[in-house]
DNA sequence: CTAAAAAGTTATCCTAAACTAACAATGTGC
DNA sequence: GCACATTGTTAGTTTAGGATAACTTTTTAG
């Protein structure tokens, strides 16, 4: 059973996965900060919490690697984002910038059970 | 042009409309608190900000009435909620409780332009 | 190999949004 | 019409999540 974390922390995990972070491939704090548009101090604080929760590792002054749990969590958020983005752009015809912004908020709303239904529904639409 | 307000304040306006608040029909603070599951102190503080923003009126120790702008804003949020709820339950087959919870988050993500596209899309589905 | 740049850390502060508790105003039942 | 319950207000506290600034550590250029 995965512990539920805040939207903000979900965003951090998502960004790390998007930057190529895995259990093997490390990511730098400064890149997370740049990609999210937040200060490195904010990243540092979020990292401490996620580390505490067993979602990632970071040695003192070192780079960030995800744990299995952290990678799975971040990947799940990213998948929801992609799914919603596809639906908003392809099914509804919303422009890319708007779709991305709106997917960013909606991605935090979708439970595992709902995600599967969304996925099946979109698969049936057979978009492009 | 409508001023964008916080998700939290959108929730207050939505709740007031849901309780029957209009420019004519007043709503009591205590009912807003009960329906949202927050303290009356929290309602009081939110009301002060919404009043400041011209979205509602409340005399000292009096009931809440919405302004035209406040009613329109609250109604718009509520419409998005209903639309999403319908989509989640009817199109995706998500259970009512989950759909309501997830619509509560997603409703804050949808811009005016996107709302129209969602509405047209769902109309075409011809649900129930 | 060392000076400077870059990256990570820490301390402190700010804001939004909630809470509790105490107080003030209003409304109701007898 | 007064006592008491209900409702609204205010003050002070907490927590999450951001920021800046100063400092430490690491990396890199020459």
């Amino acid at each position: 059973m995965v512990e539920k974390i805040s939207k903000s922390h979900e965003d951090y995990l998502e960004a790390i996965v998007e930057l190529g972070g895995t259990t093997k491939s490390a990511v730098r704090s400064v890149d997370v900060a740049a990609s999210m548009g937040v200060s490195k101090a904010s990243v540092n604080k979020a990292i401490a919490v996620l580390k505490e929760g067993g979602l990632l590792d970071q040695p003192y002054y070192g780079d960030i690697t995800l744990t299995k749990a952290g990678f799975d969590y971040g990947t799940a958020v990213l998948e929801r984002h992609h799914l919603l983005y596809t639906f908003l752009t392809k099914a509804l015809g919303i422009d890319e910038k708007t779709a991305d912004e709106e997917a960013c908020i909606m991605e935090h709303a979708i439970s595992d059970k709902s995600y599967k239904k969304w996925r099946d529904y979109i698969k049936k639409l057979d978009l492009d």
Side-chain angles (χ1 to χ4, degrees), chain A:
Chain A
M1 192 55 34
V2 195
E3 287 288 325
K4 181 72 182 170
I5 62 177
S6 72
K7 294 183 211 305
S8 169
H9 288 147
E10 288 188 350
D11 284 334
Y12 281 98
L13 287 181
E14 183 188 21
I16 292 167
V17 171
E18 200 157 33
L19 289 170
T22 65
T23 56
K24 303 288 175 190
S25 170
V27 160
R28 298 185 316 161
S29 268
V30 70
D31 294 330
V32 176
S35 83
M36 295 183 67
V38 298
S39 71
K40 50 192 186 155
S42 296
V43 174
N44 193 267
K45 210 196 271 190
I47 288 316
V49 177
L50 292 167
K51 191 173 169 180
E52 186 66 24
L55 293 161
L56 53 77
D57 292 308
Q58 184 194 37
Y60 208 54
Y61 282 95
D63 291 342
I64 299 159
T65 48
L66 295 167
T67 61
K68 173 80 166 56
F71 179 72
D72 290 348
Y73 204 133
T75 301
V77 177
L78 195 54
E79 277 172 2
R80 282 154 175 68
H81 185 99
H82 288 149
L83 190 87
L84 289 163
Y85 180 79
T86 299
F87 179 78
L88 295 176
T89 52
K90 302 281 174 57
L92 300 192
I94 293 172
D95 69 277
E96 298 181 6
K97 185 169 165 297
T98 304
D100 197 63
E101 287 165 7
E102 299 185 357
C104 263
I105 300 176
M106 294 195 284
E107 69 193 13
H108 304 293
I110 302 177
S111 63
D112 258 28
K113 237 174 50 184
S114 295
Y115 172 65
K116 293 191 178 72
K117 303 206 174 196
W118 271 96
R119 203 185 44 195
D120 294 347
Y121 179 83
I122 289 172
K123 196 174 291 171
K124 283 198 201 100
L125 292 181
D126 200 28
L127 302 166
D128 77 356

mmCIF file of all heavy atoms in Angstrom, chain A residues 28-30 40-41 44 58 60-61, chain C residues 6-14:
data_model
loop_
_atom_site.group_PDB
_atom_site.id
_atom_site.type_symbol
_atom_site.label_atom_id
_atom_site.label_comp_id
_atom_site.label_asym_id
_atom_site.label_seq_id
_atom_site.Cartn_x
_atom_site.Cartn_y
_atom_site.Cartn_z
ATOM 1 N N ARG A 28 20.297 15.903 -10.420
ATOM 2 C CA ARG A 28 20.813 16.955 -9.550
ATOM 3 C C ARG A 28 19.687 17.848 -9.050
ATOM 4 O O ARG A 28 18.746 18.154 -9.786
ATOM 5 C CB ARG A 28 21.835 17.808 -10.303
ATOM 6 C CG ARG A 28 23.059 17.004 -10.752
ATOM 7 C CD ARG A 28 24.097 17.908 -11.391
ATOM 8 N NE ARG A 28 23.507 18.860 -12.300
ATOM 9 C CZ ARG A 28 24.102 19.966 -12.710
ATOM 10 N NH1 ARG A 28 25.319 20.273 -12.254
ATOM 11 N NH2 ARG A 28 23.530 20.782 -13.555
ATOM 12 N N SER A 29 19.813 18.293 -7.825
ATOM 13 C CA SER A 29 18.853 19.212 -7.205
ATOM 14 C C SER A 29 18.620 20.440 -8.065
ATOM 15 O O SER A 29 17.485 20.889 -8.245
ATOM 16 C CB SER A 29 19.372 19.688 -5.855
ATOM 17 O OG SER A 29 18.922 18.883 -4.823
ATOM 18 N N VAL A 30 19.703 20.983 -8.569
ATOM 19 C CA VAL A 30 19.610 22.240 -9.317
ATOM 20 C C VAL A 30 18.767 22.072 -10.585
ATOM 21 O O VAL A 30 18.071 23.010 -10.999
ATOM 22 C CB VAL A 30 21.024 22.781 -9.644
ATOM 23 C CG1 VAL A 30 21.716 21.911 -10.675
ATOM 24 C CG2 VAL A 30 20.973 24.227 -10.076
ATOM 25 N N LYS A 40 16.367 26.386 -5.087
ATOM 26 C CA LYS A 40 17.044 25.155 -4.673
ATOM 27 C C LYS A 40 16.805 24.872 -3.196
ATOM 28 O O LYS A 40 16.831 23.716 -2.776
ATOM 29 C CB LYS A 40 18.534 25.187 -5.028
ATOM 30 C CG LYS A 40 19.261 26.412 -4.599
ATOM 31 C CD LYS A 40 20.664 26.497 -5.234
ATOM 32 C CE LYS A 40 21.411 27.678 -4.661
ATOM 33 N NZ LYS A 40 22.872 27.545 -4.722
ATOM 34 N N ALA A 41 16.528 25.928 -2.431
ATOM 35 C CA ALA A 41 16.195 25.715 -1.021
ATOM 36 C C ALA A 41 14.886 24.936 -0.889
ATOM 37 O O ALA A 41 14.757 24.052 -0.036
ATOM 38 C CB ALA A 41 16.100 27.048 -0.299
ATOM 39 N N ASN A 44 15.559 21.384 -1.693
ATOM 40 C CA ASN A 44 16.256 20.764 -0.569
ATOM 41 C C ASN A 44 15.291 20.332 0.524
ATOM 42 O O ASN A 44 15.399 19.233 1.076
ATOM 43 C CB ASN A 44 17.268 21.768 -0.011
ATOM 44 C CG ASN A 44 18.242 21.108 0.952
ATOM 45 O OD1 ASN A 44 18.012 21.104 2.142
ATOM 46 N ND2 ASN A 44 19.283 20.509 0.417
ATOM 47 N N GLN A 58 19.542 10.546 -1.004
ATOM 48 C CA GLN A 58 20.479 11.590 -1.383
ATOM 49 C C GLN A 58 21.514 11.702 -0.282
ATOM 50 O O GLN A 58 21.200 12.074 0.844
ATOM 51 C CB GLN A 58 19.766 12.939 -1.543
ATOM 52 C CG GLN A 58 20.709 14.028 -2.033
ATOM 53 C CD GLN A 58 20.111 15.417 -1.876
ATOM 54 O OE1 GLN A 58 19.426 15.699 -0.909
ATOM 55 N NE2 GLN A 58 20.391 16.289 -2.826
ATOM 56 N N TYR A 60 24.762 13.399 1.635
ATOM 57 C CA TYR A 60 25.112 14.793 1.926
ATOM 58 C C TYR A 60 25.873 15.375 0.743
ATOM 59 O O TYR A 60 26.888 14.815 0.309
ATOM 60 C CB TYR A 60 25.975 14.817 3.194
ATOM 61 C CG TYR A 60 25.885 16.096 3.991
ATOM 62 C CD1 TYR A 60 24.663 16.598 4.407
ATOM 63 C CD2 TYR A 60 27.043 16.788 4.331
ATOM 64 C CE1 TYR A 60 24.589 17.772 5.143
ATOM 65 C CE2 TYR A 60 26.975 17.960 5.078
ATOM 66 C CZ TYR A 60 25.744 18.449 5.472
ATOM 67 O OH TYR A 60 25.673 19.613 6.203
ATOM 68 N N TYR A 61 25.361 16.454 0.218
ATOM 69 C CA TYR A 61 25.950 17.118 -0.950
ATOM 70 C C TYR A 61 26.011 16.219 -2.182
ATOM 71 O O TYR A 61 26.814 16.418 -3.070
ATOM 72 C CB TYR A 61 27.335 17.692 -0.638
ATOM 73 C CG TYR A 61 27.270 18.992 0.132
ATOM 74 C CD1 TYR A 61 27.360 19.013 1.506
ATOM 75 C CD2 TYR A 61 27.085 20.193 -0.538
ATOM 76 C CE1 TYR A 61 27.271 20.205 2.212
ATOM 77 C CE2 TYR A 61 26.997 21.385 0.158
ATOM 78 C CZ TYR A 61 27.089 21.385 1.531
ATOM 79 O OH TYR A 61 27.007 22.565 2.213
ATOM 80 P P DA C 6 29.010 29.583 -13.191
ATOM 81 O OP1 DA C 6 28.795 29.377 -14.640
ATOM 82 O OP2 DA C 6 28.441 30.740 -12.472
ATOM 83 O "O5'" DA C 6 28.529 28.267 -12.443
ATOM 84 C "C5'" DA C 6 29.194 27.028 -12.713
ATOM 85 C "C4'" DA C 6 28.747 26.013 -11.696
ATOM 86 O "O4'" DA C 6 29.363 26.285 -10.425
ATOM 87 C "C3'" DA C 6 27.235 26.009 -11.452
ATOM 88 O "O3'" DA C 6 26.805 24.675 -11.660
ATOM 89 C "C2'" DA C 6 27.089 26.472 -9.997
ATOM 90 C "C1'" DA C 6 28.428 26.048 -9.398
ATOM 91 N N9 DA C 6 28.897 26.811 -8.259
ATOM 92 C C8 DA C 6 28.964 28.178 -8.126
ATOM 93 N N7 DA C 6 29.459 28.579 -6.980
ATOM 94 C C5 DA C 6 29.730 27.391 -6.310
ATOM 95 C C6 DA C 6 30.271 27.131 -5.027
ATOM 96 N N6 DA C 6 30.644 28.092 -4.181
ATOM 97 N N1 DA C 6 30.416 25.847 -4.664
ATOM 98 C C2 DA C 6 30.039 24.889 -5.516
ATOM 99 N N3 DA C 6 29.523 25.005 -6.739
ATOM 100 C C4 DA C 6 29.392 26.301 -7.080
ATOM 101 P P DA C 7 25.288 24.240 -11.558
ATOM 102 O OP1 DA C 7 25.092 23.178 -12.564
ATOM 103 O OP2 DA C 7 24.441 25.449 -11.522
ATOM 104 O "O5'" DA C 7 25.228 23.564 -10.115
ATOM 105 C "C5'" DA C 7 26.082 22.449 -9.857
ATOM 106 C "C4'" DA C 7 25.945 22.043 -8.407
ATOM 107 O "O4'" DA C 7 26.542 23.049 -7.572
ATOM 108 C "C3'" DA C 7 24.497 21.903 -7.940
ATOM 109 O "O3'" DA C 7 24.373 20.622 -7.345
ATOM 110 C "C2'" DA C 7 24.310 23.029 -6.945
ATOM 111 C "C1'" DA C 7 25.730 23.260 -6.443
ATOM 112 N N9 DA C 7 26.019 24.595 -5.977
ATOM 113 C C8 DA C 7 25.760 25.786 -6.619
ATOM 114 N N7 DA C 7 26.147 26.841 -5.945
ATOM 115 C C5 DA C 7 26.691 26.317 -4.791
ATOM 116 C C6 DA C 7 27.284 26.928 -3.660
ATOM 117 N N6 DA C 7 27.419 28.249 -3.522
ATOM 118 N N1 DA C 7 27.727 26.117 -2.681
ATOM 119 C C2 DA C 7 27.592 24.793 -2.823
ATOM 120 N N3 DA C 7 27.054 24.104 -3.832
ATOM 121 C C4 DA C 7 26.625 24.938 -4.794
ATOM 122 P P DG C 8 22.974 20.144 -6.748
ATOM 123 O OP1 DG C 8 22.858 18.694 -7.008
ATOM 124 O OP2 DG C 8 21.902 21.069 -7.157
ATOM 125 O "O5'" DG C 8 23.237 20.346 -5.185
ATOM 126 C "C5'" DG C 8 24.259 19.569 -4.546
ATOM 127 C "C4'" DG C 8 24.323 19.919 -3.071
ATOM 128 O "O4'" DG C 8 24.723 21.292 -2.930
ATOM 129 C "C3'" DG C 8 23.005 19.778 -2.312
ATOM 130 O "O3'" DG C 8 23.289 19.096 -1.092
ATOM 131 C "C2'" DG C 8 22.563 21.216 -2.073
ATOM 132 C "C1'" DG C 8 23.894 21.936 -1.987
ATOM 133 N N9 DG C 8 23.877 23.355 -2.341
ATOM 134 C C8 DG C 8 23.412 23.929 -3.506
ATOM 135 N N7 DG C 8 23.544 25.234 -3.529
ATOM 136 C C5 DG C 8 24.120 25.535 -2.306
ATOM 137 C C6 DG C 8 24.488 26.791 -1.761
ATOM 138 O O6 DG C 8 24.383 27.908 -2.252
ATOM 139 N N1 DG C 8 25.046 26.643 -0.488
ATOM 140 C C2 DG C 8 25.216 25.456 0.161
ATOM 141 N N2 DG C 8 25.762 25.501 1.376
ATOM 142 N N3 DG C 8 24.880 24.265 -0.333
ATOM 143 C C4 DG C 8 24.337 24.388 -1.570
ATOM 144 P P DT C 9 22.164 18.853 0.006
ATOM 145 O OP1 DT C 9 22.500 17.588 0.706
ATOM 146 O OP2 DT C 9 20.817 19.034 -0.581
ATOM 147 O "O5'" DT C 9 22.420 20.052 1.016
ATOM 148 C "C5'" DT C 9 23.661 20.108 1.730
ATOM 149 C "C4'" DT C 9 23.616 21.210 2.774
ATOM 150 O "O4'" DT C 9 23.548 22.490 2.114
ATOM 151 C "C3'" DT C 9 22.422 21.152 3.719
ATOM 152 O "O3'" DT C 9 22.961 21.057 5.029
ATOM 153 C "C2'" DT C 9 21.645 22.459 3.479
ATOM 154 C "C1'" DT C 9 22.707 23.352 2.854
ATOM 155 N N1 DT C 9 22.249 24.367 1.880
ATOM 156 C C2 DT C 9 22.504 25.686 2.134
ATOM 157 O O2 DT C 9 23.068 26.080 3.142
ATOM 158 N N3 DT C 9 22.077 26.567 1.156
ATOM 159 C C4 DT C 9 21.433 26.252 -0.010
ATOM 160 O O4 DT C 9 21.113 27.122 -0.803
ATOM 161 C C5 DT C 9 21.184 24.845 -0.219
ATOM 162 C C7 DT C 9 20.489 24.402 -1.466
ATOM 163 C C6 DT C 9 21.600 23.976 0.727
ATOM 164 P P DT C 10 22.025 20.740 6.266
ATOM 165 O OP1 DT C 10 22.848 20.004 7.244
ATOM 166 O OP2 DT C 10 20.752 20.199 5.770
ATOM 167 O "O5'" DT C 10 21.744 22.204 6.869
ATOM 168 C "C5'" DT C 10 22.853 23.052 7.155
ATOM 169 C "C4'" DT C 10 22.337 24.446 7.459
ATOM 170 O "O4'" DT C 10 21.950 25.116 6.246
ATOM 171 C "C3'" DT C 10 21.116 24.477 8.376
ATOM 172 O "O3'" DT C 10 21.501 25.170 9.555
ATOM 173 C "C2'" DT C 10 20.040 25.223 7.573
ATOM 174 C "C1'" DT C 10 20.881 25.973 6.544
ATOM 175 N N1 DT C 10 20.243 26.263 5.230
ATOM 176 C C2 DT C 10 20.312 27.547 4.753
ATOM 177 O O2 DT C 10 20.840 28.466 5.368
ATOM 178 N N3 DT C 10 19.734 27.736 3.525
ATOM 179 C C4 DT C 10 19.101 26.776 2.753
ATOM 180 O O4 DT C 10 18.625 27.072 1.664
ATOM 181 C C5 DT C 10 19.071 25.453 3.318
ATOM 182 C C7 DT C 10 18.418 24.345 2.565
ATOM 183 C C6 DT C 10 19.641 25.259 4.517
ATOM 184 P P DA C 11 20.502 25.248 10.805
ATOM 185 O OP1 DA C 11 21.317 24.973 12.002
ATOM 186 O OP2 DA C 11 19.280 24.454 10.547
ATOM 187 O "O5'" DA C 11 20.121 26.793 10.796
ATOM 188 C "C5'" DA C 11 21.074 27.764 10.332
ATOM 189 C "C4'" DA C 11 20.423 29.138 10.273
ATOM 190 O "O4'" DA C 11 19.957 29.393 8.925
ATOM 191 C "C3'" DA C 11 19.202 29.310 11.180
ATOM 192 O "O3'" DA C 11 19.253 30.620 11.747
ATOM 193 C "C2'" DA C 11 18.014 29.160 10.245
ATOM 194 C "C1'" DA C 11 18.587 29.737 8.942
ATOM 195 N N9 DA C 11 17.990 29.184 7.734
ATOM 196 C C8 DA C 11 17.634 27.886 7.498
ATOM 197 N N7 DA C 11 17.132 27.674 6.295
ATOM 198 C C5 DA C 11 17.169 28.931 5.704
ATOM 199 C C6 DA C 11 16.784 29.382 4.435
ATOM 200 N N6 DA C 11 16.268 28.586 3.496
ATOM 201 N N1 DA C 11 16.957 30.694 4.162
ATOM 202 C C2 DA C 11 17.484 31.495 5.102
ATOM 203 N N3 DA C 11 17.887 31.183 6.336
ATOM 204 C C4 DA C 11 17.699 29.867 6.572
ATOM 205 P P DT C 12 18.165 31.058 12.836
ATOM 206 O OP1 DT C 12 18.866 31.895 13.827
ATOM 207 O OP2 DT C 12 17.369 29.875 13.252
ATOM 208 O "O5'" DT C 12 17.224 32.011 11.962
ATOM 209 C "C5'" DT C 12 17.819 33.009 11.108
ATOM 210 C "C4'" DT C 12 16.749 33.624 10.236
ATOM 211 O "O4'" DT C 12 16.473 32.765 9.104
ATOM 212 C "C3'" DT C 12 15.406 33.829 10.950
ATOM 213 O "O3'" DT C 12 15.037 35.184 10.840
ATOM 214 C "C2'" DT C 12 14.461 32.875 10.237
ATOM 215 C "C1'" DT C 12 15.094 32.814 8.845
ATOM 216 N N1 DT C 12 14.724 31.627 8.044
ATOM 217 C C2 DT C 12 14.395 31.809 6.711
ATOM 218 O O2 DT C 12 14.418 32.912 6.174
ATOM 219 N N3 DT C 12 14.059 30.668 6.039
ATOM 220 C C4 DT C 12 13.992 29.393 6.547
ATOM 221 O O4 DT C 12 13.669 28.460 5.830
ATOM 222 C C5 DT C 12 14.351 29.262 7.934
ATOM 223 C C7 DT C 12 14.317 27.914 8.583
ATOM 224 C C6 DT C 12 14.691 30.368 8.614
ATOM 225 P P DC C 13 13.684 35.741 11.507
ATOM 226 O OP1 DC C 13 14.045 37.040 12.090
ATOM 227 O OP2 DC C 13 13.045 34.683 12.329
ATOM 228 O "O5'" DC C 13 12.776 35.999 10.219
ATOM 229 C "C5'" DC C 13 13.365 36.596 9.042
ATOM 230 C "C4'" DC C 13 12.369 36.559 7.900
ATOM 231 O "O4'" DC C 13 12.346 35.234 7.296
ATOM 232 C "C3'" DC C 13 10.942 36.855 8.331
ATOM 233 O "O3'" DC C 13 10.426 37.883 7.503
ATOM 234 C "C2'" DC C 13 10.210 35.533 8.135
ATOM 235 C "C1'" DC C 13 11.022 34.880 7.004
ATOM 236 N N1 DC C 13 10.928 33.399 6.961
ATOM 237 C C2 DC C 13 10.547 32.766 5.769
ATOM 238 O O2 DC C 13 10.306 33.455 4.777
ATOM 239 N N3 DC C 13 10.457 31.418 5.738
ATOM 240 C C4 DC C 13 10.718 30.703 6.834
ATOM 241 N N4 DC C 13 10.606 29.383 6.739
ATOM 242 C C5 DC C 13 11.102 31.318 8.054
ATOM 243 C C6 DC C 13 11.183 32.661 8.084
ATOM 244 P P DC C 14 8.989 38.512 7.734
ATOM 245 O OP1 DC C 14 9.107 39.947 7.388
ATOM 246 O OP2 DC C 14 8.463 38.085 9.064
ATOM 247 O "O5'" DC C 14 8.130 37.794 6.617
ATOM 248 C "C5'" DC C 14 8.468 37.979 5.239
ATOM 249 C "C4'" DC C 14 7.463 37.247 4.377
ATOM 250 O "O4'" DC C 14 7.690 35.822 4.497
ATOM 251 C "C3'" DC C 14 6.014 37.496 4.804
ATOM 252 O "O3'" DC C 14 5.309 38.045 3.700
ATOM 253 C "C2'" DC C 14 5.472 36.125 5.216
ATOM 254 C "C1'" DC C 14 6.454 35.145 4.583
ATOM 255 N N1 DC C 14 6.707 33.923 5.400
ATOM 256 C C2 DC C 14 6.417 32.673 4.843
ATOM 257 O O2 DC C 14 5.951 32.602 3.704
ATOM 258 N N3 DC C 14 6.662 31.564 5.587
ATOM 259 C C4 DC C 14 7.167 31.680 6.819
ATOM 260 N N4 DC C 14 7.391 30.549 7.502
ATOM 261 C C5 DC C 14 7.468 32.942 7.392
ATOM 262 C C6 DC C 14 7.218 34.034 6.653
#
